[in-house]
């Protein structure tokens, strides 16, 4: 029988976590005060989640870790057999397998990468774990931390703010153009395994960068609820790309919270590749776009087993000539449910926005729902949406099978072709693994 956890119990647990984090991170008093303010808001804040009830949330807080996982992983041999087998099938290198398992990784590549970032820091590129940035750049963090969210918006926002740990702080100095993708594979090893990482991105005027978060293989997290928060600020003329690679274990509930301000003439392309969404994934990112700014939100989803995915996306086109695209492609299998909701609000003249949603159903028991929303407060906005939900056509399968492919290989080829247009900006080393995962998912090998 599950032990009943009261609100008082949960708040006491959170308070202990706050004290532990403040001590461990040696954080300044102003940050600890923010945590306590969030704790005060937690009880009265609403919880509008389609899967997690208040009772269940309190249980997550009382017992955040999953039972049945190895207590201590000292080598790859300690991994659950099914996970080790999957990593081997994907062709994941031993170094990356250790990272995924949460083992300490000391490699020449990691050392070189850190030296490399130190050189770029002299040019104005700051990349640090967020808790370290709080100590080293307190004024800069204070100016941007929790400025796009309110702690009392929801219980999940309040809980994240109270117990956040890990995450990335990325600052790009005015005029700096970073000519290579930043994949923080070695730098944020512990942050990737944290329950509530907080990510802050600040791109000053006329900067350029591409940040890649996560990895394509499933990470052995031990918690059952993952609450990451991203706050991004793109100043005038900045151009940024954020590529998020996710492959959560099937026992994890993920609640990513992302918001961004896109300044005058700035561009932000945010691509999420959801190879494993976890038991449930509910998100509603928000973007505010100023004059001639542009936001592009791309989402790729593989719905498997009995997973539940509900993804929104609100764009506020606030400046003249602002534009936005919200595009998603979903492949839905087994008994999974995928819901997409996109809203574009045109609040200034000559704004343009488009929502597109395409879904491929591979099972009679899978469910797809889409709810596009277009709202215009001006008479010269151009807003549009399109949606297509369907199954693989018999004639497509027949054609490929007549060319010598069996049904499984033909289905894999069709699915990869369906998703390929969304993968145009993904570096090749990740594309190879993404395609392998798609093949395994379609053939039931995940």
């Amino acid at each position: 029988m599950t032990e009943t956890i009261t609100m008082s119990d949960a708040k006491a647990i959170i308070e202990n976590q706050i004290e532990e984090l403040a001590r461990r991170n040696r954080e300044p008093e102003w940050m600890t005060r923010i945590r306590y303010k969030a704790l005060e808001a937690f009880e009265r804040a609403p919880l509008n989640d389609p899967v997690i009830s208040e009772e269940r949330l309190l249980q997550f807080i009382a017992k955040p870790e999953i039972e049945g996982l190895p207590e201590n992983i000292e080598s790859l041999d300690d991994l659950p057999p099914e996970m080790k087998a999957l990593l081997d099938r994907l062709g994941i290198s031993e170094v990356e397998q250790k990272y995924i398992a949460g083992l300490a990784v000391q490699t020449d590549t990691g050392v070189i990468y850190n030296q490399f970032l130190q050189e770029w820091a002299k040019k104005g590129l700051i990349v640090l774990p967020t808790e370290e940035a709080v100590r080293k750049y307190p004024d800069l963090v204070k100016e941007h931390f929790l400025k796009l969210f309110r702690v009392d918006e929801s219980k999940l926002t309040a809980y994240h703010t109270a117990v956040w740990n890990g995450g990335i702080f990325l600052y790009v100095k005015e005029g700096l153009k970073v000519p290579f993708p930043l994949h923080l594979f070695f730098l944020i090893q512990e942050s990737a395994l944290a329950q509530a990482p907080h990510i802050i991105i600040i791109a000053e005027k006329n900067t350029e960068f591409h940040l890649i978060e996560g990895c394509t293989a499933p990470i052995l997290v031990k918690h059952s609820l993952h609450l990451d928060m991203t706050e991004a600020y793109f100043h005038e003329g900045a151009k940024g790309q954020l590529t998020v690679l996710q492959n959560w274990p099937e026992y994890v509930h993920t609640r990513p919270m992302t918001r961004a301000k896109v300044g005058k003439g700035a561009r932000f392309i945010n691509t999420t590749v959801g190879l494993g969404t976890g038991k449930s994934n509910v998100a509603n990112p928000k973007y505010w776009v100023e004059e001639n700014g542009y936001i592009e939100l791309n989402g790729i989803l593989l719905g498997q087993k009995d997973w539940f995915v509900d993804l929104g996306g609100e764009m506020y086109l606030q400046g003249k000539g602002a534009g936005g695209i919200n595009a998603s492609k979903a492949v839905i299998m087994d008994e999974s449910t995928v819901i997409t909701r996109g809203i574009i609000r045109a609040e200034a003249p000559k704004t343009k926005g488009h929502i597109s949603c395409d879904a491929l159903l591979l099972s009679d028991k899978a469910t797809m729902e889409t709810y596009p929303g277009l709202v215009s407060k001006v008479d010269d906005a151009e807003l549009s949406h399109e949606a297509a939900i369907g199954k693989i056509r018999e004639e497509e399968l027949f054609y490929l099978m007549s060319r010598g492919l069996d049904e499984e290989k033909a289905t894999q080829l069709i699915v990869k072709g369906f998703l390929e247009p969304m993968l145009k900006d993904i570096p090749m080393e990740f594309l190879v693994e993404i395609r392998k995962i798609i093949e395994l998912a379609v053939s039931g090998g995940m």
Side-chain angles (χ1 to χ4, degrees):
M1 185 174 176
T2 305
E3 181 185 356
T4 301
I5 304 298
T6 66
M7 179 61 71
S8 296
D9 294 334
K11 288 174 70 176
I13 292 167
I14 294 171
E15 185 169 5
N16 288 337
Q17 288 179 285
I18 290 173
E19 289 299 318
E20 168 62 21
L21 287 165
R23 181 191 60 76
R24 189 177 74 200
N25 295 339
R26 294 178 286 117
E27 68 186 22
E29 188 179 330
W30 63 265
M31 178 56 76
T32 307
R33 284 201 301 270
I34 289 175
R35 293 187 187 275
Y36 271 106
K37 183 180 177 183
L39 175 59
E40 290 173 15
F42 177 74
E43 183 170 1
R44 66 177 184 272
L47 177 63
N48 302 314
D49 193 282
V51 175
I52 299 173
S53 64
E54 182 171 312
E55 181 183 0
R56 199 168 188 188
L57 175 59
L58 298 182
Q59 290 287 346
F60 284 145
I61 292 169
K63 199 168 187 179
E65 295 197 352
I66 289 289
E67 292 182 346
L69 294 178
E71 280 294 320
N72 296 303
I73 295 179
E74 297 178 358
S75 74
L76 292 174
D77 293 334
D78 297 329
L79 284 175
E82 64 278 8
M83 183 174 185
K84 184 70 173 75
L86 175 59
L87 295 178
D88 289 338
R89 285 201 301 275
L90 290 174
I92 304 296
S93 69
E94 184 176 343
V95 168
E96 192 173 349
Q97 287 197 23
K98 287 182 176 180
Y99 161 80
I100 289 159
L103 295 170
V105 177
Q106 294 294 331
T107 68
D108 292 340
T109 309
V111 172
I112 291 167
Y113 201 74
N114 282 322
Q115 290 173 346
F116 179 70
L117 286 175
Q118 286 171 15
E119 286 301 311
W120 274 85
K122 297 172 186 175
K123 301 177 183 180
L125 175 67
I126 300 171
V127 185
L128 290 172
T130 306
E131 56 268 37
E132 190 176 334
V134 169
R135 296 192 302 271
K136 285 191 172 181
Y137 302 97
D139 292 340
L140 197 54
V141 175
K142 194 184 295 187
E143 185 182 346
H144 296 89
F145 188 90
L146 214 70
K147 293 297 185 284
L148 300 181
F149 292 84
R150 293 193 336 269
V151 292
D152 59 356
E153 281 184 39
S154 74
K155 279 185 166 51
L156 297 181
T157 308
Y159 182 43
H160 166 94
T161 306
V163 302
W164 76 269
N165 60 311
I168 309 162
F169 178 83
L170 172 65
Y171 175 84
V172 189
K173 183 181 177 182
E174 182 174 344
L176 182 64
K177 293 174 172 57
V178 185
F180 47 84
L182 290 164
H183 183 219
L184 307 181
F185 181 83
F186 296 97
L187 187 69
I188 58 162
Q189 180 180 326
E190 290 184 13
S191 297
L193 302 174
Q195 183 185 13
H198 196 98
I199 297 150
I200 299 176
I201 298 169
I202 306 166
E204 296 286 9
K205 288 183 178 181
N206 302 315
T207 52
E208 291 183 17
F209 74 92
H210 182 184
L211 173 64
I212 300 172
E213 279 183 37
C215 65
T216 52
I219 291 179
L220 187 68
V221 294
K222 292 187 176 181
H223 47 267
S224 50
L225 175 63
H226 188 86
L227 297 170
D228 59 281
M229 183 180 286
T230 300
E231 301 183 90
Y233 303 83
F234 295 85
H235 293 274
E236 184 176 343
K239 296 178 181 177
Q241 281 183 258
L242 174 62
T243 302
V244 182
L245 306 173
Q246 296 177 333
N247 199 344
W248 296 105
E250 59 185 275
Y251 52 79
V252 176
H253 296 269
T254 60
R255 297 296 181 270
M257 296 172 271
T258 301
R259 291 183 184 174
K261 293 192 77 170
V262 181
K264 183 178 180 180
R267 292 174 62 87
F268 178 31
I269 298 175
N270 187 356
T271 301
T272 300
V273 183
L275 301 168
T277 58
K279 185 70 174 174
S280 72
N281 182 341
V282 179
N284 186 37
K286 295 184 179 182
Y287 308 88
W288 292 269
V289 189
E290 295 179 14
E291 183 180 348
N292 292 321
Y294 175 76
I295 171 72
E296 185 175 315
L297 181 60
N298 299 312
I300 296 169
L301 293 169
L302 293 184
Q304 303 174 63
K305 302 175 184 177
D306 61 347
W307 299 351
F308 177 88
V309 182
D310 188 338
L311 297 182
E314 296 182 33
M315 298 179 183
Y316 297 83
L317 307 181
Q318 297 180 319
K320 182 179 179 181
I325 292 177
N326 184 341
S328 65
K329 282 183 176 285
V331 178
I332 311 165
M333 297 166 270
D334 307 320
E335 298 179 21
S336 59
T337 298
V338 174
I339 302 169
T340 60
R341 313 169 193 270
I343 298 178
I344 299 180
R345 302 179 187 275
E347 300 178 351
K350 301 188 184 306
T351 45
K352 296 181 180 180
H354 181 70
I355 298 172
S356 73
C357 170
D358 295 326
L360 199 56
L361 293 167
L362 300 188
S363 165
D364 291 334
K365 295 181 179 179
T367 303
M368 173 71 194
E369 300 174 24
T370 180
Y371 302 98
L374 304 174
V375 181
S376 180
K377 295 184 178 179
V378 294
D379 59 9
D380 60 352
E382 296 179 27
L383 303 178
S384 58
H385 70 79
E386 59 181 325
I389 302 173
K391 297 184 177 181
I392 293 175
R393 297 202 307 270
E394 291 285 337
E395 55 267 34
E396 289 180 325
L397 275 178
F398 179 78
Y399 174 79
L400 291 171
M401 291 170 70
S402 72
R403 293 295 185 272
L405 296 179
D406 60 28
E407 185 174 353
E408 183 179 292
K409 293 290 185 188
T411 302
Q412 290 174 351
L413 190 62
I414 291 168
V415 169
K416 285 190 288 184
F418 171 73
L419 295 175
E420 201 69 24
M422 283 279 201
L423 298 171
K424 61 183 185 297
D425 295 322
I426 307 291
M428 182 53 68
E429 63 268 28
F430 299 111
L431 269 182
V432 173
E433 290 180 8
I434 289 169
R435 287 169 181 153
K436 282 183 183 177
I437 289 170
I438 292 168
E439 289 175 4
L440 282 171
V442 171
S443 63
M446 292 286 284

